[in-house]
Amino acid sequence: MNDLPERLRGSGKRLTAQRELILRAVDALGHATPDEIFTEVRKHVSSVNVSTIYRNLEVLEELGLVRHAHLSDRAPTYHSVVGHEHFHLVCRSCRVVISVDPEVMAPVIARLGEDFGFEPDIGHLTVFGHCVDCEAPKDTAQK
Amino acid sequence: MNDLPERLRGSGKRLTAQRELILRAVDALGHATPDEIFTEVRKHVSSVNVSTIYRNLEVLEELGLVRHAHLSDRAPTYHSVVGHEHFHLVCRSCRVVISVDPEVMAPVIARLGEDFGFEPDIGHLTVFGHCVDCEAPKDTAQK
DNA sequence: TTCCATGCAAACACTTTGCACCGTG
DNA sequence: CACGGTGCAAAGTGTTTGCATGGAA
């Protein structure tokens, strides 16, 4: 599950305690913002800096170990790529986040390829909308 | 095309020069960020403030006259709703933005409804990916 | 004449950058 | 022991808010 050392070596980058801890935090937290990851990592080492979090989330994403998605109009969230690839549904009323198998998008992927020569990045996709039987009041606004 | 006065009246809001100019700017610019809209409006009236732009884009969106989408990791873009509803494809390499008819999403809308009781907001959707024959170099990074 | 809307300035949330020091390979 | 990584502080970008004044209805 943790390919970190090999992947880093392969690209001339170094293995550091921070990188290991950040990857572990992303794994542990599920969908977490840089700030939440920062807080989590700081539980294990006293002095980490936010800038290190940002720099390394970028590195880990380049290495294909984590991905990010925009689940709100605020900060992005990062999640580990250990499991299966998936895209997200977000309800604007109750804020629930549903992970969906890319297979559901198959017909659309085909159409976009044929009609536009476009290859969608499904793992980055977030679909906003509403649960049909959501208890929360329907929220027309975007925020 | 310009339902602004009636829609405002209907919700106890007032018709102001700024609101008209902002709506006109959104219409004229296509997909524009708040800052681009700000610049455009300022061409017609000397003293407008960015906060007025933000406040009114929110109002215009509530009234159903404009919509926003996230076409980059930076500022959102607003577009008028006069034409047909559509969603967006964005190529990470060449940055081209393609508007697509919601009909393409029909099978997915059906599946999400059946499987998750979820009603997607297609007009807000942005699908990142790559043009297959994009001249620009493939860009693995997210930015 | 009543409130909603505006301008202004300051604050805010999130992210990036420059630089000197640190530590992996 | 070279060069990539880190902490720190400061700056950058995009957005929001409080408040006094202005103007539509």
Side-chain angles (χ1 to χ4, degrees):
Chain A
M1 172 208 116
N2 192 338
D3 299 336
L4 186 52
E6 308 90 75
R7 301 227 192 179
L8 284 171
R9 229 163 276 135
S11 50
K13 297 187 185 305
R14 294 174 183 176
L15 179 59
T16 66
Q18 287 88 331
R19 284 182 177 160
E20 285 186 309
L21 288 166
I22 291 170
L23 181 53
R24 209 168 302 170
V26 173
D27 272 336
L29 294 175
H31 294 114
T33 62
D35 199 61
E36 290 164 344
I37 294 164
F38 177 49
T39 303
E40 177 67 18
V41 170
R42 219 173 9 181
K43 288 181 188 166
H44 301 94
V45 284
S46 32
S47 99
V48 214
N49 197 273
V50 219
S51 57
T52 301
I53 305 290
Y54 282 101
R55 291 194 266 235
N56 283 323
L57 286 172
E58 199 175 324
V59 169
L60 294 176
E61 190 151 29
E62 281 168 16
L63 297 180
L65 293 168
V66 307
R67 294 236 50 191
H68 83 270
H70 302 275
L71 304 184
S72 78
D73 280 354
R74 293 292 189 172
T77 61
Y78 287 77
H79 57 276
S80 113
V81 151
V82 295
H84 39 301
E85 189 183 45
H86 60 273
F87 68 96
H88 300 99
L89 309 181
V90 178
C91 174
R92 283 216 184 84
S93 304
C94 69
R95 288 282 134 196
V96 70
V97 175
I98 304 172
S99 295
V100 183
D101 193 284
E103 173 266 320
V104 171
M105 278 289 166
V108 171
I109 298 174
R111 273 293 293 278
L112 295 182
E114 290 160 19
D115 296 3
F116 304 99
F118 190 83
E119 279 179 352
D121 172 6
I122 300 300
H124 182 259
L125 190 65
T126 302
V127 182
F128 286 83
H130 288 108
C131 312
V132 176
D133 342 278
C134 186
E135 342 62 54
K138 293 289 178 274
D139 171 21
T140 327
Q142 291 302 317
K143 191 56 63 56
Chain B
M1 174 208 114
N2 194 340
D3 299 335
L4 186 52
E6 306 90 75
R7 302 227 192 179
L8 284 171
R9 229 164 276 135
S11 50
K13 298 187 186 303
R14 294 172 182 175
L15 179 58
T16 67
Q18 287 87 333
R19 283 181 177 159
E20 285 186 308
L21 288 166
I22 291 170
L23 181 54
R24 209 167 301 171
V26 172
D27 272 337
L29 294 175
H31 294 113
T33 62
D35 198 62
E36 290 164 344
I37 294 163
F38 177 49
T39 303
E40 177 67 19
V41 171
R42 216 168 15 174
K43 287 181 187 166
H44 301 93
V45 282
S46 34
S47 101
V48 212
N49 197 272
V50 217
S51 59
T52 301
I53 304 291
Y54 282 101
R55 290 193 267 235
N56 283 323
L57 285 172
E58 200 176 323
V59 169
L60 294 176
E61 189 151 30
E62 279 167 18
L63 297 181
L65 294 168
V66 307
R67 295 238 47 193
H68 83 268
H70 301 275
L71 303 184
S72 78
D73 280 354
R74 295 290 190 173
T77 62
Y78 287 78
H79 56 276
S80 114
V81 150
V82 294
H84 40 300
E85 188 183 44
H86 60 273
F87 68 96
H88 300 99
L89 310 181
V90 178
C91 174
R92 284 217 183 83
S93 303
C94 68
R95 290 281 136 197
V96 69
V97 175
I98 304 172
S99 295
V100 182
D101 193 285
E103 174 265 321
V104 171
M105 277 289 166
V108 172
I109 297 174
R111 274 292 293 278
L112 295 181
E114 292 161 18
D115 296 3
F116 303 99
F118 189 84
E119 278 179 352
D121 172 6
I122 300 300
H124 183 259
L125 191 64
T126 301
V127 182
F128 286 83
H130 288 108
C131 313
V132 176
D133 343 277
C134 185
E135 344 61 52
K138 293 289 178 276
D139 172 20
T140 327
Q142 291 303 317
K143 191 55 63 52

